[in-house]
Structures are given as structure tokens and as C-alpha cells.
Amino acid sequence: MKINLKIISASFVSADEKCEELEEKRLVPKMMLRRRLTRGAKIAIYLASKVGYKNERIIFGSAYGEVKATVDIVESIYNKTLLSPTAFQNSVHNTPASYLSILSENQAEVTTVSDLFNTSLSVLKTGAIKALRGDKLLLLNVDAFNFTGVKDINICSISKLESGVALMVEITDEEANISIDNQKNSEISPSLWQMLEIYNKSKKLDNPIVEVEL
């Protein structure tokens, strides 16, 4: 089965260590909420703002989840110190989508996908199925794993430790002009490759439409 998705808008951000200019103070005016945000949440909120998110349903993907929060918890256990309630709260995969929903007072459906290197493709396939309802969807894929010691275990030698892609999509009967060729990018985590490929191709088209094969 094949489903065509119109790319209404798209955005991408990445950095070797830490994405700058995420406009947290403008996007999250309440300081107490802003202070609790993870790096993944900041990226997700920024990307959602760039694609014009208006409380549509969300399909969120992350291969590694909130690694920094998990590392903080493990270090506390190892050092026999008190666990941070904030780190514990922020340690789940859906943390960025949850903060985005809190900020926007979203009451729509949120689906979280984690499929390691296939996460991006799984987000697209899940989104294609969900799009059959006929409404717009926000597809988000974020991974942020900049923490002390990451270079010792980064066997893939990925140079961009923070990355995120957002696609606002809806189902269409129009002919597709984007196919997923599984293009590789040595700088970015493989968990984002397919959505990044679509982002790059969509920037060159007036009416980008991607074919998603289930």
C-alpha cells in the first residue's frame, strides 16, 4: 500500500554540540517551564513553531530518547546521591512532545515512535496511516545526545550531536514527486535520515509530495 503526503511546510536544525537560536525566551515565556525543558524539547518546540504548528495531531520520533536525563539518573545512582525529580520526569521518550503539548495546550492525539535507526521511516509510515483521517499532522523527529562521555561511545562518529526535522503533512491524491531513496548522511544520526532526505528534496519543489510505502 502506498500513501502520498503533501509537505505543507518543513524545517531542520542541527549542531555539532548545541543548537543555538532556538528562541526559547520568545516561545516559552514562562521561566519555570522554560527551565525544565530538555534539549530535545527545546528543539521540538522550535521546529514546531517554524512549520506553523496549530495543535494538530503529533507523531513524534526519537531513537535515543532523553539520554542526558538518563545519564544524570545513572550518575546519581552510581554516586549514591539524591535523584533529581526533574531528571526522572524528563527521562521518557515522549518528553519533547509532552512539553510541546503543555505549551500549546494541545488536546489532540500524540503518538511516540522509537525504532533506533529506522525511527525516521517509522514516523513517516505511522504518519501516513494516521493521515488517512484527512487532517493535517505534525511529524517530528529529534535526537539530542550531547552529554559528558558521549565521544567515548559514539562509535558511528556522528558529528552533529543535536538534530531535528519537522514536517507538516496531509494526505493527497496528487502524484508524488518525492521518493524515499534512503540517502545517507554521515554527519547526522541514521535515525533522522529519511525525514532529512524529504526535507532536502522538498526545498527544491513548489508542491512537494512524498510517496510513503507501507
Side-chain angles (χ1 to χ4, degrees):
M1 180 179 180
K2 296 179 180 180
I3 297 175
N4 289 351
L5 296 177
K6 181 190 293 288
I7 311 301
I8 300 169
S9 55
S11 186
F12 167 68
V13 67
S14 70
D16 289 350
E17 295 184 359
K18 184 177 180 180
C19 293
E20 305 292 344
E21 304 298 329
L22 294 180
E23 304 178 18
E24 299 103 310
K25 289 185 178 180
R26 178 181 69 83
L27 296 173
V28 190
K30 293 183 179 180
M31 184 180 67
M32 292 303 295
L33 177 59
R34 188 168 67 243
R35 289 179 61 183
R36 300 176 75 89
L37 296 178
T38 63
R39 293 301 304 168
K42 292 179 181 181
I43 294 170
I45 291 169
Y46 173 77
L47 290 173
S49 74
K50 298 298 286 185
V51 297
Y53 174 68
K54 300 294 183 183
N55 292 359
E56 291 84 2
R57 289 188 294 156
I58 301 170
I59 312 298
F60 174 75
S62 177
Y64 302 97
E66 295 295 339
V67 181
K68 177 64 169 60
T70 303
V71 168
D72 289 344
I73 292 172
V74 172
E75 286 183 343
S76 293
I77 294 173
Y78 180 80
N79 295 320
K80 297 181 180 180
T81 57
L82 290 176
L83 292 177
S84 164
T86 300
F88 187 79
Q89 172 187 314
N90 287 344
S91 63
V92 294
H93 270 67
N94 66 338
T95 293
S98 296
Y99 278 121
L100 174 58
S101 291
I102 292 170
L103 179 65
S104 62
E105 299 182 351
N106 171 41
Q107 298 183 22
E109 174 188 355
V110 177
T111 302
T112 302
V113 177
S114 184
D115 194 11
L116 198 56
F117 289 172
N118 294 318
T119 296
S120 188
L121 187 58
S122 292
V123 168
L124 288 165
K125 290 183 177 182
T126 303
I129 294 172
K130 297 284 188 179
L132 291 172
R133 183 190 293 181
D135 55 335
K136 296 179 182 178
L137 292 171
L138 172 62
L139 308 186
L140 265 174
N141 196 353
V142 174
D143 268 310
F145 38 89
N146 181 17
F147 59 92
T148 302
V150 66
K151 293 181 180 179
D152 296 330
I153 63 175
N154 184 14
I155 59 175
C156 296
S157 299
I158 298 166
S159 62
K160 306 294 184 182
L161 297 181
E162 290 193 348
S163 301
V165 185
L167 305 173
M168 186 69 73
V169 304
E170 64 182 356
I171 196 168
T172 181
D173 293 328
E174 297 178 70
E175 184 176 350
N177 50 19
I178 296 177
S179 60
I180 300 172
D181 301 320
N182 295 309
Q183 295 178 359
K184 298 180 180 180
N185 186 318
S186 61
E187 295 185 337
I188 304 294
S189 169
S191 58
L192 284 88
W193 281 355
Q194 288 86 2
M195 285 181 62
L196 178 58
E197 177 185 342
I198 293 170
Y199 166 82
N200 288 331
K201 290 180 176 179
S202 70
K203 297 293 98 179
K204 302 175 183 179
L205 299 168
D206 294 329
N207 185 35
I209 298 170
V210 61
E211 179 184 88
V212 180
E213 185 171 358
L214 303 179

